[in-house]
Structure formats: structure tokens, C-alpha cells
Amino acid sequence: MEPPREFTYDQLQTPSSIRLIEINKTWLPSKLKPLSLAISTFHHDNAPPYDALSYTWGNPMVPHSRHYNPDANSSHVRIELNGGIFVVTKNLADALNKMRTGKTATSRYVWADAICINQNDPSEKAAQVTRMDVIYTRAERVLVYLGDADEFTNDAVAALKTVSRIPPDRYGEVRPADWFDQGRVFTRLGAGQSPKWQHWLGLVLFFDRPWFKRVWIIQEVVLGRNVVVVCGDHIFPWDWIQRTLEFLGVTQWNAELRLGNFRANENIRFFRGVYKPLLQGEASVDLGNAAMYLQGTKEGIQKSGNLALFRYLIGVFRHSDAGDPRDKIFSLLGIARKDRPPFSTHPGQLVPDYRLDIEAVYTRTARMMLEGYKDLRFFDQVEDATFRNINTLPSWVPDYSARLLPETWFGLARGSPVFKASADIPWSFDQTPLDSRKLAVQGFCLDTIATALPYSLQRNANAETDAAWVEIIHFAKEIGREQREATETKTRFEVLWRTILIDLYDKKQPAPPICGELFFELLAWQAALICCSGEPFERWGPICVYMSELLDEDSADSRASSSSSSSSMPDRESFKRVFETALSANGHHPDYRARFTQLIYDLSTSLACRRMVLTKDKRLAVAPLSSQTGDEVWILGGSAVPVILRKVSEGCYKLLGQAYVHGVMHGEAVGDGMGFMGIILI
């Protein structure tokens, strides 16, 4: 008996050719022999109706599930393709079997990338990747296969079904603090009974499935005319997901969907059931950005009728995963507007080309973006060096294989603060080869870092976070007169709170004066809460001591200058009164969430994965995490915000990232006789 032959691809005859898998439906699949399929080639214009499959190549399950099998990541299955042996991942075989035996597929033909593209032919792969936007747009349906159901799926689907009943035009009636009064909210909105906590936690784990983190699924879902989700025996329209995510984004309830928040709830922490291992464990799971940005992108394209800007896409989908790091760029080309940079300024230059190595793809992309927009805004995509995977990249080139940390200050959730640190001075550039590792810029050194806070502020309170706040308040006592003059009250305290918020609150800039009062109260109540929790004086006492000293110095300066604003300034006695009130309430504010949620959200977004620094000229600033004493604060032409540079040699620097320095964010430092000089970033 002859051994079975391996399947071999015939070469596609034209760039518009497409291979399709023929599905012969059966209700009695055989487990005793391999899945047997036929594949045919068509010219796309004459192709029969087909469904396009969207799936993950690896394990589709969350590792928190008892159904999770770590070996499934590398598990492969032999199938028959036109009578020959072909090897696919187990998840793809499961998806095809599901389509063959269930009620998921309506078309006779299916397109799946791992089979329909010859993955071993770089030229064909590049040509087909270029056409994937057409492939998914023309599909009758896009079938999203999430894998088998697990013990959390029923709860997740219940949450999706309930939330999707809420009329979209009423999302704006719900505030972040309404999370704690859900029953009344859902009744008022006519959505019936609100989801139980199990439903919400199941939803968090549902969106933690690997499929949502895969970079290729973005264009697959965004371009699909009719997207259907399959998870085990659950089949439902993508609209359920889209409306749920839109609601969570508008209301900011997505911020509450963190496993840590559920674990902190004493009423459910010791629940016995499928969530017990998670509630009593240490795993960290939250809704994350993947699903939220996917929904926002699809909705934006649907409403505008236009594809998305490429600079938006490569920014918000930095978190997505790709087996080939080059696909962090190539996978997004199909849903990017071609009448905007970099395509309009560098026609034919940014296309899938798997002959280029990773560094070349990332460097060429970065230079095209900078030159295309003729400014240095793109520096907000450069992650801190601490989080880089590819350390050989030029410092000014984003490492798209790594997460964007810290997150950009110019994200969708916070609005778009308008800064103009370089005034109207543009960035000048010459035509340079796209692969060049050097970037010529112009600017001047504003200041030098004298002291860098040793801590990075975390999103969750802990001893290190408390110590960081103590050091920040201590730093604020050193703020110089020049920076104080840039505020209305001429005080160190106002420089402090405007700096840590980057002068942005609830999408408003400049931040309203109420923020100073809120920050003042938050510090007093936080110190009281730590005290009432039995923590040692070292964790809360210095907050009160340094804060009182800071306010004393501001009061003294105000009296010396006979400032008219002194009567409205916070002082030591008012801080003491708030602290004592908080102590009498055991540190539990009666309306803590409603009063401080927005402030805490904006503070964490501004400061997470960054550090506070004090310069030689006594300026307080928010700087990149890798900043250290001796690094320089520069104003560069074409950059909206100051940047931190590290000198390598005379005229050559490394970019560390962007900074916020109150008092120079709107061009105040430009025009003081500062001459712009040319330097090189490497």
C-alpha cells in the first residue's frame, strides 16, 4: 500500500485568484478518519458565495478555565485536502468540523487563511495579504470561531444578551458611579434585570480569550458585512458584542471590570463555584483594551463611511498579538485610508513585504509616518525602553512587538489635549533613505533632570504607591518661582495637581479649579484610610506632614506677595479639618466613588508607568520611566510636548519619551532667545 501523498499547492494564476474550501455538510462526522476537504481555485470576480473564517491559530481557551489544555498551543491535526495530507492546527480543524456538522455555515465554500494561502511562499503570502480586505469584504458572512464553550461562557452570553437590549441613544444617561446601582439603571432603561456579578465576571473572561488579542481579526471583523460569533453551541450576531462594548465605553463601566475589583468585594470573595479559584487566587484579568478598540474601530468606520487613519490603527492595536512581528504593521494596511499619510506621501512604499526583516519594517514605517505628517507627534508611539523587546531598534522607532507602555496621553478615552510646546516652529527634514537609523531634529535643551523619583506610580494602591505620593509632595516643596508664576494662584500646590493630571480632567483642558479641591480631599481621605486600616505611621504620616509643610510655604508666599487669591487657597488648617473628618468616618468617604472616580482615573492614566522628576531649574515634570539624573529636557521643533533625551556623544542623543512640564506646554519657553540647533537621534 502506497503511503499517503502530501498535498501540494498549484501556483495561483493571477493576483486576483482565490482558493476556497468546499464544505460538504454532514450530521454524522467520523472520528475514525481525518477530516476530508476539497479546495478549488477561482478568479475572485467569478468566485461562488463563500464564508470567511476568523479564528486563532493557537489555543482558543483562557488559561483560567478547567478546559484549558496547554499542549493545545502546539497541537496539530492531519486532514485530507484534495486527497493529500495537510497539517493544520487543532483549533482550525475544530472550526471546520463545526462548520461541516453544525448550523454555522450557510455557504458551500469557506475561506481560511492557513489553508487558502500557501504560507511557505513569501511572494504569494504578500500578494494575498494585500487582498485580504477584498476577501473579507466580499464574504457572505464572517464566522468568528472562539472555540468550545467553557464554564464561564453561559454567564458571558447572558451579560451580552442583557446589555445589548439597552437602546444606544440612552447610553449617555448612565454615569460611571451608576455601576453601584445597576438594578435601578437597567430598570429605568427598559433592559430588564441587571446582570449578576457572575455574568460580569464571565464577560471579562470571555473577552480574555486569545481570539480578541489577535491582530489579524481586526480587519476580519471591521470589514465583515455580516459577522456571526460561534462559541461552542452558542451562535449570536456580532451586534451583541458591539453594543455591549459601546455601552461599557460610554459609561466607563469597563474600568470596573477587573478581577481585582471582584476579589475586593467581601460579599463574593469566598463564593463557592466555578469562579472560586479566580476569586481566591492572584491572577490579574481585566476587560483590557483589545475588545474596546476593536468595537470602536468597526463602529467608527461604519458611521463615517471611511476607513481609519493608519496612525490611529497602529497606535490603538499595539496590544494585539501576532505570530510574525511584521504583521503588527501588515495586518492593518487593508483598513487604512489610502488618501492620507503615509500612503498619500509615500505611494507604493508601505506594502506587505516578507523579505524585509523586522527592524527594517518598523524603521521604514516610523520614518514614513514622521515625514508624512511633517512633525514629531509620532513620538507618542515610542514605548519606554524598559518595555522593549527589540533593543537594537533606533530609540525613535516604536517597537510594535511590545506593549505601548506608558500609554499615550493622547488616547481616545481621554480626548486629545492640545499642547504646543514648540509654538509654531516646525520640524525640518531632508529626504533620507527609509532604512536610515538616524533622525535629524532641531531644538534646544530647556533643562536637565536633577532628581528622579525612584518609584513608578501603580494603578492599584500599595506601600510603594504611598511612598511615591510622599516623595511627589516632597518634590513639590522645591518647585521654583518661574513654574509657580505659570498658575493662577502662583502656588506650588497648583503646579503639583496640574502637573500630575497633565492639566486634563474629564476630557477638559485646562483642568478646572475643582480638581485642586478634589486632589486635596483625596490625599486627606487616603491618609486617613491607611491610618484606620492599622498601617504604620510611615505609610500615612509623611503624607500629612509634607502636605502641611507645602501648604504652609504657599500661604507664606501668598501673604508676602499680598495675593488676592490667598483666601481661596487650601491651607494647613483646612487639610487638618478634612483629615479629622475622614478619621471620624474610619477613612470611608460616604460618596467616595462618585466624588473621586474621574480624578483617580485621570491620575492613573497620566502617571502609570512614568515617574516624577525635578529639574536643576526647580521644575516639576512627568517623565518617562527610564529617565534618570542627568537626562535632558528638550523642546524640539514639530513636537507638541517636551521630550527627554539622553546624550550619547556630541550632537547625538537617544529618545527616552515625552514629558509634561507645566508652564512650557504652550510655547512659553520659545522666543526667550533660545536658538534651535540640529542634533541627531539614534
Side-chain angles (χ1 to χ4, degrees):
M1 181 177 179
E2 293 185 5
R5 64 178 179 83
E6 291 189 3
F7 172 80
T8 56
Y9 285 98
D10 293 328
Q11 188 171 0
L12 293 176
Q13 297 302 309
T14 70
S16 299
S17 296
I18 183 175
R19 298 187 185 97
L20 295 175
I21 306 163
E22 188 172 1
I23 297 291
N24 293 313
K25 300 203 64 168
T26 175
W27 294 102
L28 296 171
S30 173
K31 296 183 179 180
L32 302 178
K33 62 179 182 179
L35 177 65
S36 181
L37 302 169
I39 187 169
S40 304
T41 303
F42 302 90
H43 188 281
H44 208 158
D45 290 339
N46 300 320
Y50 63 92
D51 291 337
L53 186 61
S54 179
Y55 65 105
T56 181
W57 284 32
N59 193 333
M61 310 297 286
V62 292
H64 317 290
S65 169
R66 61 172 177 257
H67 298 278
Y68 179 77
N69 176 10
D71 295 332
N73 285 320
S74 56
S75 179
H76 289 78
V77 175
R78 288 156 59 100
I79 67 171
E80 288 184 4
L81 197 60
N82 286 358
I85 296 300
F86 190 83
V87 178
V88 299
T89 63
K90 182 179 182 302
N91 190 49
L92 176 54
D94 290 345
L96 293 170
N97 259 321
K98 193 78 174 177
M99 298 173 70
R100 189 169 63 116
T101 62
K103 299 180 180 179
T104 53
T106 57
S107 300
R108 178 181 174 184
Y109 292 94
V110 174
W111 188 89
D113 57 355
I115 297 176
C116 297
I117 298 176
N118 184 354
Q119 301 292 328
N120 295 318
D121 183 341
S123 297
E124 178 184 311
K125 185 177 177 181
Q128 288 286 287
V129 165
T130 303
R131 289 187 51 79
M132 282 180 68
D133 56 338
V134 180
I135 292 171
Y136 278 90
T137 300
R138 293 188 182 181
E140 295 291 305
R141 296 194 310 172
V142 172
L143 297 175
V144 172
Y145 181 70
L146 298 180
D148 290 334
D150 59 22
E151 64 269 37
F152 316 122
T153 304
N154 287 340
D155 286 335
V157 173
L160 290 168
K161 191 173 183 179
T162 299
V163 178
S164 64
R165 293 194 195 107
I166 301 174
D169 60 357
R170 301 193 65 183
Y171 294 167
E173 299 177 22
V174 184
R175 301 295 296 168
D178 289 334
W179 168 264
F180 302 97
D181 192 13
Q182 293 181 32
R184 183 182 59 82
V185 170
F186 277 79
T187 300
R188 187 181 78 237
L189 298 179
Q193 188 175 3
S194 62
K196 299 178 180 178
W197 69 263
Q198 295 97 321
H199 298 158
W200 287 121
L201 189 48
L203 189 67
V204 172
L205 294 164
F206 177 82
F207 285 125
D208 196 44
R209 283 182 176 247
W211 180 88
F212 287 97
K213 303 170 186 177
R214 179 174 171 262
V215 72
W216 279 109
I217 63 101
I218 299 160
Q219 75 166 349
E220 295 166 3
V221 168
V222 165
L223 298 177
R225 294 179 294 166
N226 180 17
V227 182
V228 177
V229 182
V230 181
C231 186
D233 291 332
H234 295 280
I235 303 172
F236 52 88
W238 179 263
D239 183 64
W240 285 15
I241 290 178
Q242 182 158 331
R243 292 181 66 168
T244 297
L245 292 173
E246 183 182 1
F247 173 81
L248 293 173
V250 170
T251 62
Q252 295 182 21
W253 283 16
N254 58 306
E256 300 294 338
L257 293 177
R258 301 175 183 274
L259 180 55
N261 291 345
F262 291 92
R263 192 178 287 137
N265 188 331
E266 294 294 335
N267 294 324
I268 64 175
R269 183 176 182 181
F270 299 103
F271 174 80
R272 296 181 181 277
V274 296
Y275 297 104
K276 179 180 178 180
L278 283 165
L279 292 171
Q280 298 182 17
E282 298 181 356
S284 177
V285 187
D286 57 44
L287 188 64
N289 292 328
M292 297 298 297
Y293 284 136
L294 174 60
Q295 174 273 326
T297 302
K298 184 174 179 66
E299 180 188 6
I301 289 176
Q302 287 176 333
K303 289 183 177 179
S304 69
N306 293 315
L307 296 178
L309 295 176
F310 188 63
R311 67 171 290 120
Y312 162 85
L313 294 171
I314 56 176
V316 300
F317 293 114
R318 279 287 292 274
H319 57 267
S320 298
D321 297 330
D324 185 332
R326 294 169 293 187
D327 286 337
K328 296 293 287 287
I329 302 296
F330 296 156
S331 66
L332 300 171
L333 300 179
I335 53 175
R337 291 186 62 165
K338 302 306 186 290
D339 60 340
R340 298 292 179 87
F343 309 100
S344 59
T345 55
H346 298 75
Q349 294 291 322
L350 187 53
V351 294
D353 187 347
Y354 290 95
R355 296 170 299 180
L356 297 174
D357 63 27
I358 300 169
E359 289 188 37
V361 171
Y362 288 1
T363 302
R364 290 166 64 91
T365 300
R367 187 175 293 278
M368 281 187 266
M369 294 300 298
L370 290 165
E371 293 180 356
Y373 283 95
K374 298 181 173 62
D375 60 37
L376 303 181
R377 284 180 295 169
F378 192 66
F379 282 174
D380 70 356
Q381 297 298 308
V382 178
E383 66 292 322
D384 191 273
T386 310
F387 305 105
R388 287 206 154 193
N389 293 328
I390 307 173
N391 294 320
T392 53
L393 280 169
S395 66
W396 52 274
V397 174
D399 179 1
Y400 288 101
S401 71
R403 287 190 63 189
L404 179 55
L405 292 173
E407 297 176 3
T408 174
W409 282 325
F410 305 89
L412 293 180
R414 301 200 71 203
S416 296
V418 180
F419 298 128
K420 213 172 185 179
S422 61
D424 294 317
I425 307 297
W427 169 54
S428 299
F429 63 93
D430 298 323
Q431 293 300 322
T432 306
L434 294 178
D435 293 333
S436 174
R437 298 175 59 86
K438 297 180 179 180
L439 184 72
V441 297
Q442 308 82 39
F444 63 89
C445 180
L446 173 73
D447 211 335
T448 303
I449 295 176
T451 311
L453 183 74
Y455 306 102
S456 168
L457 284 169
Q458 308 298 319
R459 290 187 181 274
N460 299 318
N462 54 39
E464 185 173 293
T465 302
D466 299 333
W469 279 117
V470 169
E471 292 294 334
I472 288 173
I473 299 168
H474 187 56
F475 268 19
K477 293 170 58 181
E478 303 297 320
I479 294 171
R481 178 171 296 278
E482 181 180 353
Q483 199 173 28
R484 299 202 303 270
E485 291 296 322
T487 66
E488 181 179 348
T489 60
K490 316 296 186 200
T491 61
R492 299 167 182 81
F493 180 69
E494 185 173 351
V495 173
L496 169 61
W497 67 259
R498 288 198 182 277
T499 298
I500 60 179
L501 281 170
I502 65 164
D503 210 13
L504 183 69
Y505 175 79
D506 196 16
K507 302 184 180 180
K508 299 181 182 69
Q509 188 202 24
I514 186 65
C515 294
E517 179 182 335
L518 290 173
F519 179 60
F520 176 85
E521 288 184 26
L522 180 63
L523 284 177
W525 279 89
Q526 184 65 22
L529 178 61
I530 299 170
C531 174
C532 294
S533 299
E535 296 291 339
F537 178 82
E538 289 75 12
R539 275 198 66 180
W540 60 269
I543 295 178
C544 299
V545 173
Y546 285 151
M547 190 65 183
S548 296
E549 292 176 355
L550 175 68
L551 296 173
D552 282 347
E553 293 185 19
D554 279 342
S555 296
D557 287 346
S558 179
R559 288 193 298 271
S561 63
S562 300
S563 172
S564 61
S565 61
S566 60
S567 60
S568 61
M569 287 168 42
D571 56 24
R572 172 192 284 265
E573 288 304 314
S574 57
F575 185 81
K576 180 181 178 181
R577 284 194 298 273
V578 175
F579 179 70
E580 290 176 345
T581 299
L583 283 178
S584 66
N586 291 319
H588 296 289
H589 194 287
D591 202 16
Y592 184 89
R593 293 279 183 171
R595 186 153 179 80
F596 299 122
T597 294
Q598 187 66 51
L599 181 72
I600 293 172
Y601 174 81
D602 284 327
L603 283 173
S604 65
T605 306
S606 300
L607 299 177
C609 299
R610 293 182 172 92
R611 71 172 76 250
M612 302 295 294
V613 300
L614 192 68
T615 70
K616 288 184 177 180
D617 288 343
K618 305 299 183 183
R619 292 182 173 97
L620 185 68
V622 182
L625 184 60
S626 55
S627 303
Q628 60 189 33
T629 300
D631 291 334
E632 299 176 4
V633 184
W634 278 69
I635 304 291
L636 298 181
S639 177
V641 298
V643 297
I644 306 297
L645 303 182
R646 180 169 296 163
K647 191 171 185 177
V648 177
S649 61
E650 193 60 38
C652 289
Y653 293 80
K654 284 189 174 182
L655 173 70
L656 300 185
Q658 298 181 319
Y660 180 91
V661 186
H662 195 73
V664 304
M665 301 303 294
H666 300 282
E668 297 93 335
V670 179
D672 292 339
M674 296 287 190
F676 277 55
M677 59 180 289
I679 59 173
I680 299 295
L681 300 183
I682 59 174

